[in-house]
Coordinates of all heavy atoms in Angstrom, one line a residue:
E25 N 105.3 84.5 100.1 CA 105.9 83.3 100.4 C 105.0 82.2 100.9 O 105.2 81.0 100.8 CB 107.0 83.4 101.4 CG 108.2 84.3 100.8 CD 109.4 84.4 101.9 OE1 109.4 83.7 102.9 OE2 110.3 85.2 101.5
L26 N 103.8 82.7 101.3 CA 102.8 81.7 101.8 C 101.8 81.4 100.7 O 100.9 80.5 101.0 CB 102.0 82.4 103.0 CG 102.8 82.6 104.3 CD1 102.0 83.3 105.3 CD2 103.4 81.3 104.9
G27 N 101.8 82.1 99.6 CA 101.0 81.7 98.5 C 100.1 82.8 98.0 O 99.3 82.6 97.1
I28 N 100.2 84.0 98.6 CA 99.4 85.1 98.0 C 100.1 85.5 96.6 O 101.3 85.7 96.5 CB 99.4 86.3 98.9 CG1 98.7 86.0 100.2 CG2 98.8 87.6 98.2 CD1 97.2 85.8 100.0
R29 N 99.2 85.5 95.6 CA 99.7 85.7 94.2 C 99.1 87.1 93.6 O 99.7 87.6 92.6 CB 99.3 84.6 93.4 CG 100.0 83.3 93.8 CD 101.5 83.3 93.4 NE 102.3 82.2 94.0 CZ 103.0 82.2 95.1 NH1 103.1 83.3 95.8 NH2 103.7 81.1 95.5
K30 N 97.9 87.5 94.1 CA 97.2 88.6 93.4 C 96.9 89.7 94.5 O 96.5 89.4 95.6 CB 96.0 88.1 92.8 CG 96.3 87.2 91.6 CD 95.1 86.4 91.2 CE 94.8 85.2 92.2 NZ 93.8 84.2 91.7
L31 N 97.2 90.9 94.1 CA 97.0 92.1 95.1 C 96.1 93.0 94.4 O 96.2 93.3 93.2 CB 98.4 92.7 95.4 CG 99.5 91.8 96.0 CD1 100.8 92.6 96.1 CD2 99.0 91.2 97.3
K32 N 95.2 93.7 95.2 CA 94.3 94.7 94.8 C 94.6 95.9 95.7 O 94.4 95.8 96.9 CB 92.9 94.3 94.8 CG 91.9 95.4 94.6 CD 91.7 95.7 93.1 CE 90.9 94.6 92.5 NZ 90.7 94.8 91.0
I33 N 94.9 97.1 95.1 CA 95.1 98.2 95.9 C 93.8 99.1 95.9 O 93.2 99.3 94.9 CB 96.2 99.2 95.2 CG1 97.5 98.3 95.1 CG2 96.5 100.4 96.0 CD1 98.0 97.8 96.5
T34 N 93.4 99.4 97.1 CA 92.1 100.1 97.3 C 92.3 101.3 98.3 O 93.4 101.6 98.8 CB 91.0 99.2 97.8 OG1 91.3 98.9 99.2 CG2 91.0 97.9 97.1
G35 N 91.2 101.9 98.7 CA 91.2 103.0 99.7 C 90.0 102.8 100.6 O 89.6 101.7 100.8
G36 N 89.4 103.9 100.9 CA 89.5 105.3 100.4 C 89.7 105.3 98.9 O 89.4 104.4 98.2
E37 N 90.3 106.4 98.5 CA 90.7 106.5 97.1 C 92.3 106.5 97.0 O 93.0 107.3 97.5 CB 90.2 107.8 96.5 CG 90.8 108.3 95.2 CD 90.8 107.1 94.2 OE1 89.7 106.5 94.1 OE2 91.7 106.9 93.4
P38 N 92.8 105.4 96.5 CA 94.3 105.2 96.5 C 95.0 106.3 95.9 O 96.2 106.6 96.2 CB 94.5 103.8 95.9 CG 93.2 103.5 95.1 CD 92.1 104.2 95.9
L39 N 94.5 106.9 94.8 CA 95.3 107.8 94.0 C 95.3 109.2 94.7 O 96.0 110.1 94.2 CB 94.7 108.0 92.7 CG 94.8 106.8 91.7 CD1 94.2 107.0 90.4 CD2 96.3 106.5 91.5
V40 N 94.7 109.4 95.9 CA 94.9 110.7 96.7 C 96.1 110.6 97.5 O 96.6 111.6 98.0 CB 93.7 111.0 97.5 CG1 92.4 111.2 96.6 CG2 93.4 110.1 98.6
R41 N 96.7 109.4 97.7 CA 97.9 109.2 98.5 C 99.1 109.4 97.6 O 99.3 108.7 96.6 CB 97.9 107.9 99.2 CG 99.2 107.7 100.1 CD 99.1 106.5 101.0 NE 100.4 106.4 101.7 CZ 100.6 105.4 102.6 NH1 99.7 104.5 102.8 NH2 101.8 105.4 103.2
P42 N 99.9 110.4 97.9 CA 101.1 110.6 97.0 C 102.0 109.4 96.9 O 102.1 108.6 97.9 CB 101.9 111.7 97.9 CG 100.8 112.4 98.6 CD 99.8 111.4 99.0
G43 N 102.4 109.1 95.8 CA 103.4 108.0 95.6 C 102.7 106.7 95.3 O 103.4 105.7 95.1
C44 N 101.4 106.7 95.1 CA 100.7 105.4 94.8 C 101.3 104.6 93.7 O 101.5 103.5 93.7 CB 99.2 105.7 94.7 SG 98.2 104.2 94.3
P45 N 101.5 105.3 92.5 CA 102.1 104.5 91.4 C 103.4 103.8 91.8 O 103.7 102.8 91.3 CB 102.3 105.6 90.3 CG 101.2 106.6 90.5 CD 101.2 106.7 92.1
E46 N 104.3 104.5 92.6 CA 105.5 103.9 93.1 C 105.3 102.6 93.9 O 106.1 101.7 93.8 CB 106.3 105.0 93.9 CG 107.6 104.4 94.5 CD 108.6 103.9 93.5 OE1 108.5 104.3 92.2 OE2 109.6 103.3 93.9
L47 N 104.2 102.6 94.7 CA 103.9 101.4 95.4 C 103.6 100.3 94.4 O 104.0 99.1 94.7 CB 102.6 101.6 96.3 CG 102.1 100.4 97.0 CD1 103.2 99.8 98.0 CD2 100.8 100.7 97.8
I48 N 102.9 100.6 93.3 CA 102.6 99.5 92.3 C 104.0 98.9 91.9 O 104.1 97.6 91.7 CB 101.9 100.1 91.1 CG1 100.6 100.7 91.5 CG2 101.7 99.0 90.1 CD1 99.6 99.8 92.2
R49 N 104.9 99.8 91.6 CA 106.3 99.3 91.1 C 106.9 98.3 92.2 O 107.4 97.3 91.9 CB 107.1 100.4 90.8 CG 108.6 100.1 90.3 CD 109.5 101.2 90.2 NE 109.9 101.7 91.5 CZ 110.7 101.1 92.4 NH1 111.4 100.0 92.0 NH2 110.9 101.6 93.6
M50 N 106.8 98.8 93.5 CA 107.4 98.0 94.5 C 106.7 96.7 94.7 O 107.4 95.6 94.9 CB 107.3 98.8 95.9 CG 108.1 100.1 95.9 SD 107.5 101.3 97.2 CE 108.1 100.4 98.7
L51 N 105.5 96.6 94.6 CA 104.8 95.3 94.7 C 105.0 94.4 93.5 O 105.1 93.1 93.7 CB 103.3 95.6 95.0 CG 102.9 96.4 96.2 CD1 101.4 96.6 96.2 CD2 103.4 95.7 97.4
K52 N 105.1 94.9 92.4 CA 105.3 94.1 91.2 C 106.7 93.5 91.2 O 106.9 92.4 90.5 CB 105.2 95.0 89.9 CG 103.8 95.4 89.6 CD 103.0 94.3 88.9 CE 103.5 94.0 87.6 NZ 102.6 93.0 86.9
K53 N 107.6 94.0 92.0 CA 109.0 93.4 92.1 C 109.0 92.2 93.0 O 110.0 91.5 93.0 CB 110.0 94.5 92.5 CG 110.3 95.5 91.4 CD 111.4 96.4 91.9 CE 111.9 97.3 90.7 NZ 113.0 98.2 91.2
I54 N 108.0 92.0 93.8 CA 108.0 90.9 94.8 C 108.0 89.6 94.1 O 107.1 89.3 93.3 CB 106.9 91.1 95.8 CG1 107.0 92.4 96.6 CG2 106.9 89.9 96.8 CD1 105.8 92.7 97.5
P55 N 108.9 88.7 94.3 CA 108.9 87.3 93.7 C 107.5 86.6 94.2 O 107.1 86.6 95.3 CB 110.0 86.6 94.4 CG 111.0 87.7 94.7 CD 110.1 88.8 95.1
G56 N 106.9 86.0 93.2 CA 105.7 85.3 93.4 C 104.4 86.1 93.2 O 103.3 85.5 93.0
I57 N 104.5 87.4 93.2 CA 103.3 88.3 92.9 C 103.1 88.2 91.4 O 103.9 88.7 90.6 CB 103.4 89.7 93.4 CG1 103.6 89.6 95.0 CG2 102.3 90.5 93.0 CD1 102.4 89.0 95.7
E58 N 101.9 87.8 91.0 CA 101.6 87.6 89.6 C 100.8 88.8 89.0 O 100.8 89.1 87.8 CB 100.8 86.3 89.3 CG 101.6 85.1 89.8 CD 100.8 83.8 89.7 OE1 99.6 83.9 89.4 OE2 101.4 82.7 90.0
Q59 N 100.1 89.5 89.9 CA 99.1 90.5 89.4 C 98.9 91.6 90.5 O 98.7 91.3 91.7 CB 97.8 89.8 89.1 CG 96.8 90.7 88.5 CD 95.5 90.1 88.3 OE1 94.6 89.9 89.2 NE2 95.2 89.6 87.0
V60 N 99.0 92.8 90.1 CA 98.7 93.9 91.0 C 97.7 94.8 90.2 O 98.0 95.3 89.1 CB 99.9 94.8 91.3 CG1 99.5 96.0 92.3 CG2 101.0 93.9 92.0
T61 N 96.4 95.0 90.8 CA 95.4 95.8 90.2 C 95.0 96.8 91.2 O 95.5 96.9 92.2 CB 94.3 94.8 89.8 OG1 93.7 94.2 91.0 CG2 94.6 93.8 88.8
M62 N 94.0 97.7 90.7 CA 93.6 98.8 91.6 C 92.1 99.1 91.4 O 91.5 98.9 90.3 CB 94.4 100.1 91.2 CG 93.9 101.3 91.9 SD 94.9 102.8 91.3 CE 96.4 102.4 92.0
T63 N 91.5 99.5 92.5 CA 90.1 100.0 92.5 C 90.2 101.5 92.8 O 90.8 101.9 93.8 CB 89.3 99.3 93.5 OG1 89.0 97.9 93.1 CG2 87.8 99.9 93.6
T64 N 89.5 102.3 91.9 CA 89.6 103.7 92.1 C 88.3 104.4 91.7 O 87.5 103.7 91.0 CB 90.7 104.3 91.1 OG1 90.7 105.8 91.1 CG2 90.6 103.8 89.7
N65 N 88.0 105.6 92.2 CA 86.8 106.3 91.7 C 87.1 107.0 90.4 O 86.1 107.5 89.8 CB 86.3 107.3 92.7 CG 87.4 108.4 93.0 OD1 88.1 108.8 92.2 ND2 87.3 108.8 94.3
G66 N 88.3 106.9 89.9 CA 88.6 107.4 88.5 C 88.8 108.9 88.4 O 89.2 109.3 87.3
V67 N 88.6 109.7 89.4 CA 88.7 111.2 89.3 C 90.1 111.6 88.9 O 90.3 112.4 88.0 CB 88.3 111.8 90.6 CG1 88.6 113.3 90.6 CG2 86.8 111.6 90.9
A68 N 91.1 110.9 89.5 CA 92.5 111.3 89.2 C 93.2 110.3 88.2 O 94.4 110.3 88.1 CB 93.3 111.4 90.5

């Protein structure tokens, strides 16, 4: 609501936390959020 439009999910390693993909879904539903991306080490 203040103008944040892009989100990057990071860690640690975000994919070691259970339910991480579900968080992506939750954030994508927020009005005004245009992009949700992720940084990962790629192992999982």
Side-chain angles (χ1 to χ4, degrees):
E25 293 185 9
L26 296 175
I28 293 295
R29 296 289 173 259
K30 294 162 282 191
L31 305 174
K32 172 80 74 180
I33 303 304
T34 74
E37 168 49 42
L39 291 176
V40 303
R41 182 167 176 180
C44 177
E46 175 64 15
L47 175 64
I48 302 298
R49 184 191 64 79
M50 294 163 69
L51 297 179
K52 288 284 289 186
K53 285 187 173 183
I54 297 174
I57 295 300
E58 299 171 358
Q59 186 184 78
V60 180
T61 61
M62 174 183 291
T63 294
T64 172
N65 60 34
V67 170

